[in-house]
Amino acid sequence: DAKTTQPNSMESNEEEPVHLPCNHSTISGTDYIHWYRQLPSQGPEYVIHGLTSNVNNRMASLAIAEDRKSSTLILHRATLRDAAVYYCILRDRGSGNTGKLIFGQGTTLQVKP
Amino acid sequence: GAGVSQSPRYKVAKRGQDVALRCDPISGHVSLFWYQQALGQGPEFLTYFQNEAQLDKSGLPSDRFFAERPEGSVSTLKIQRTQQEDSAVYLCASSFSGARVRINEQFFGPGTRLTVL
């Protein structure tokens, strides 16, 4: 499975935008880019996913580089409740994959009031 | 609506005891996953069910770990003769479709924290 690289930690101020980077230089053409986050003492939750085009939903935006070797999760206005570990995960839509998520270490986001 | 639920939320076992962890997925979800999360680490895949069929158990760390989903809904993860290294949070996740399981969103439960003394 293709791997992702994320910074271990980032800090943000409340109500400011946050850009969480992810490198995936070995991404294949059948890989979707997914983001999950895990709040303290909770299970992970889905944030967003994309293939080639930038994506927006109510939680965040996902900006995907043209060569797809990197992506950025954008939280437009961070709140204290956004403090979590953010995981960037590649999911292969090919038939050889049962759909399991392969988590790395993720980025621990701290939000300061 | 109800999400994925897991019970118990906390379990303390003495080394050598058997434990059973329960997962109630979202109703109608075809796919069910178990993950193990050690302290300070990301979750690691254990096993996957599509309905009652266990299609992938490549992540189970030893033959002491056993999972079942006999009627395609509730699942149980059983650990026999627990060891200290089994201490972790065990997460269950479900997903609606089997056909699109490779990209569909997974919904996670809160986990069961297992401590083996």
Side-chain angles (χ1 to χ4, degrees), chain A residues 32-75:
Chain A
Y32 278 78
I33 302 159
H34 285 241
W35 285 81
Y36 281 72
R37 72 179 185 180
Q38 187 171 22
L39 279 65
S41 301
Q42 295 187 26
E45 65 174 345
Y46 168 84
V47 178
I48 200 167
H49 79 275
L51 183 63
T52 56
S53 303
N54 295 343
V55 184
N56 299 295
N57 66 20
R58 62 175 179 80
M59 290 182 70
S61 295
L62 177 60
I64 301 173
E66 194 169 338
D67 62 6
R68 302 207 325 127
K69 294 185 176 181
S70 65
S71 60
T72 303
L73 179 70
I74 302 166
L75 306 179

Side-chain angles (χ1 to χ4, degrees), chain B residues 59-79:
Chain B
L60 296 176
S62 78
D63 58 7
R64 296 186 295 104
F65 287 71
F66 171 76
E68 60 183 6
R69 193 186 185 198
E71 298 179 358
S73 54
V74 171
S75 178
T76 304
L77 176 67
K78 298 179 179 178
I79 308 173

Side-chain angles (χ1 to χ4, degrees), chain A residues 36 38 91 93-94 97 99, chain B residues 35 37 101-104 106:
Chain A
Y36 281 72
Q38 187 171 22
R91 299 189 73 186
R93 60 180 173 174
N97 183 356
Chain B
Y35 295 86
Q37 186 170 24
V101 68
R102 290 179 285 278
I103 58 172
N104 269 3
Q106 291 185 17

Side-chain angles (χ1 to χ4, degrees), chain B residues 25-31 51 69 72-73 95-97:
Chain B
I26 294 173
S27 178
H29 276 198
V30 169
S31 300
N51 295 307
R69 193 186 185 198
S73 54
S95 180
F96 176 67
S97 172

Side-chain angles (χ1 to χ4, degrees), chain A residues 32 34 36 38 41-46 49 87 91-105, chain B residues 9 33 35 37 40-45 48 55-56 58 91 101-111 113:
Chain A
Y32 278 78
H34 285 241
Y36 281 72
Q38 187 171 22
S41 301
Q42 295 187 26
E45 65 174 345
Y46 168 84
H49 79 275
Y87 297 99
R91 299 189 73 186
D92 183 0
R93 60 180 173 174
S95 59
N97 183 356
T98 56
K100 62 189 176 187
L101 295 171
I102 300 176
F103 293 83
Q105 297 283 7
Chain B
R9 291 293 313 277
F33 300 81
Y35 295 86
Q37 186 170 24
Q41 305 295 316
E44 292 191 357
F45 169 79
Y48 162 63
L55 299 186
D56 186 351
S58 62
L91 295 161
V101 68
R102 290 179 285 278
I103 58 172
N104 269 3
E105 172 184 358
Q106 291 185 17
F107 295 85
F108 283 80
R113 181 177 297 278

